């Protein structure tokens, strides 16, 4: 773990000196220097004191870099295509188990000629247009602002039934995010 670098970065961002941390925590400057350079590993109670001095939750100091907030700016989104109709997919952001994307459906386009299934759970929200969705015996039409969800292991299909392009926000949860599949 790289807790020391995290502590140093927070301390510098908040313009707090090592001396001020030591004054608040009762720790020596030499010890704090060793913590910040990852030469020593502080106990949980010491970390809690440091977190309080920095005014951050203890849990934040324990997060791995990949577990912290990830930012994807609009102009930095990865754009791919999906399915036989090459639907435009804008990848918004993700965690280890959850992905969010916006899918653009041209008029009459669909996720496939036949329903398909895959691992995970999906939540959809229609941002623009009219969508038809089916999963097994369940079938429904949706307009702007409507949402629906399902377990993706049951075959499903989504189609644009409007005369204009449809835009759907999709969030997919998978236990293990190791394959890049679109819903």
């Amino acid at each position: 773990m790289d807790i020391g670098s995290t502590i140093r970065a927070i301390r510098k961002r908040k313009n707090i000196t090592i001396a001020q941390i030591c004054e608040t925590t009762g720790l020596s400057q030499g010890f704090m220097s060793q913590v910040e350079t990852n030469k020593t590993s502080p106990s949980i109670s010491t970390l809690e004191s440091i977190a309080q001095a920095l005014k951050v939750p203890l849990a934040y100091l324990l997060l791995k870099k990949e577990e912290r907030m990830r930012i994807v700016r609009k102009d930095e989104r990865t754009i791919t295509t999906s399915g036989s109709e090459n639907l435009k997919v804008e990848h918004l952001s993700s965690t280890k188990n959850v992905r969010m994307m916006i899918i653009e459906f041209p008029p009459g386009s669909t996720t496939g000629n036949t329903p398909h299934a895959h691992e995970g759970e999906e939540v959809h929200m229609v941002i623009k247009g009219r969508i038809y969705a089916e999963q097994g015996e369940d079938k429904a039409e949706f307009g702007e602002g409507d949402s629906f969800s399902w377990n993706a292991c049951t075959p499903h299909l989504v189609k644009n039934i409007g005369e204009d392009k449809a835009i759907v926000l999709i969030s997919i949860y998978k236990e293990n995010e190791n394959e890049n599949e679109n819903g």
Side-chain angles (χ1 to χ4, degrees), residues 53-117:
L54 293 171
K55 295 182 174 49
V56 298
L58 170 62
Y60 184 79
L61 296 180
L62 300 174
L63 288 176
K64 296 175 188 161
K65 186 172 181 163
E66 63 271 13
E67 295 171 328
R68 293 196 185 122
M69 181 169 66
R70 294 175 56 195
I71 298 170
V72 178
R73 302 285 181 202
K74 184 177 181 178
D75 59 346
E76 297 171 346
R77 293 178 187 162
T78 302
I79 298 175
T80 61
T81 57
S82 174
S84 59
E85 300 199 31
N86 291 321
L87 302 175
K88 177 182 173 188
V89 179
E90 288 187 59
H91 300 270
L92 303 179
S93 197
S94 63
T95 65
K96 183 175 80 172
N97 298 101
V98 179
R99 290 185 297 132
M100 285 187 70
M101 60 199 77
I102 293 175
I103 301 197
E104 194 174 289
F105 290 82
S109 65
T110 180
T111 53
N113 293 329
T114 58
H116 68 285

